[in-house]
Amino acid sequence: MEIIDVSQVSYAYGDGSMALKDINMKIESGEKVAILGPNGAGKSTLFHLFNGILKPTSGTITVNGMEVCKKNLVEIRRSVGMVFQDSDDQLFNPTVRQEIAYGLLNMGVNGKKLEDTIEWALKIVGMSGYEDKSPHNLSGGQKKRIALASVLAMKPKVMVLDEPTAALDPRGVHKLIRLLDSINEKLGITLIFATHDVDTVPLLADKVYLLDKGKIIMGGTTEEVFNKKEIIRKINLRLPRVAHLIEILDKDGILNADDLPLTIGQAKDFLEKNKSQV
Ligand code: ADP
């Protein structure tokens, strides 16, 4: 069943700018979905609608069958955890323990259950032992892990991540992708992430929605979407680097590629299979 259903949603800011226009989207439970679009496409606005920070100007959003509206907000925010682009906007407590305890205490969790949940969340993100550190003195990658732990502690059904790889170094990106994958696989949490980082999308997403100027241009599997090269380029994005290389080799007649590999792993398999061509 779908965990998030967006139906005919539009959103206009107070100054009249239409950030989203007639958005329709169905996200199934357990999926890993990328919302891919250039700056200003409407990704952050859409995410703020998912957990009720903003209210649609028209249309409806349901989470787990429940409409995102004032009377359901507490339940919706428990179900949909937001991970902000800038961890410094998310982390405001003096210690990691207090940071993770904050939402739990608001939910009435305390005593041993509180301590156990903090320990559990830190273990998942690989940050056990950091309880008494200040979140502000951690590296960018560590801050992101603490932000994830504070959201995970609330046991959400969906995690919404705004540009999760922005500001991380290449190793940090690699580690974060592995962590998010395992959160999805082991805990069954649906992941929705906004990005314009086309190289990351095929490593994490199984479904992609292309968003541009407030409209969904296309949705489908990662392979389906990246095979529409003209559309990707028209909205000022590009193919993953490895796909671009194979596309050039195909154009130059060096090899014949009907479907472009999107990751280094896929390219390796592709080249091994097509050894005789190269
Ligand atoms: P993205 O996250 O894809 O970069 P946003 O959702 O931030 O896109 O922005 C979508 C559109 O809404 C842009 O045209 C942006 O200028 C506009 N916008 C965003 N926030 C506001 C605001 N607070 N007031 C007016 N317009 C806004």
Side-chain angles (χ1 to χ4, degrees), residues 38-165:
N39 287 335
K43 304 183 291 297
S44 304
T45 306
L46 181 63
F47 280 13
H48 289 148
L49 292 169
F50 282 157
N51 84 343
I53 295 173
L54 298 176
K55 189 172 165 286
T57 308
S58 59
T60 53
I61 300 182
T62 60
V63 174
N64 215 14
M66 218 179 348
E67 186 176 346
V68 182
C69 62
K70 215 169 172 183
K71 78 173 170 48
N72 295 330
L73 269 195
V74 173
E75 196 55 38
I76 295 286
R77 290 195 178 149
R78 233 177 244 186
S79 304
V80 182
M82 281 277 281
V83 180
F84 298 166
Q85 175 174 352
D86 185 346
S87 303
D88 288 325
D89 291 341
Q90 188 139 14
L91 306 172
F92 55 89
N93 283 283
T95 68
V96 165
R97 176 182 280 105
Q98 284 166 291
E99 192 62 63
I100 298 171
Y102 185 83
L104 293 167
L105 287 168
N106 278 336
M107 273 167 63
V109 179
N110 49 41
K112 181 160 184 333
K113 177 118 195 273
L114 178 69
E115 287 309 317
D116 287 350
T117 310
I118 294 171
E119 198 185 314
W120 172 83
L122 284 175
K123 190 163 176 222
I124 290 185
V125 302
M127 293 289 287
S128 303
Y130 283 79
E131 289 80 351
D132 297 321
K133 297 250 187 254
S134 164
H136 308 287
N137 297 334
L138 301 175
S139 73
Q142 289 173 329
K143 281 183 187 171
K144 187 62 83 186
R145 282 167 183 264
I146 298 304
L148 279 173
S150 70
V151 170
L152 273 179
M154 313 286 284
K155 309 268 168 83
K157 293 188 165 52
V158 181
M159 271 173 97
V160 173
L161 305 109
D162 198 357
E163 302 277 358
T165 57

Side-chain angles (χ1 to χ4, degrees), residues 220-238:
T221 65
T222 310
E223 287 73 22
E224 281 165 354
V225 170
F226 279 111
N227 262 304
K228 299 284 181 201
K229 294 174 276 190
E230 329 74 50
I231 299 180
I232 300 266
R233 286 179 173 133
K234 203 167 153 211
I235 64 169
N236 294 328
L237 295 174
R238 59 168 176 82

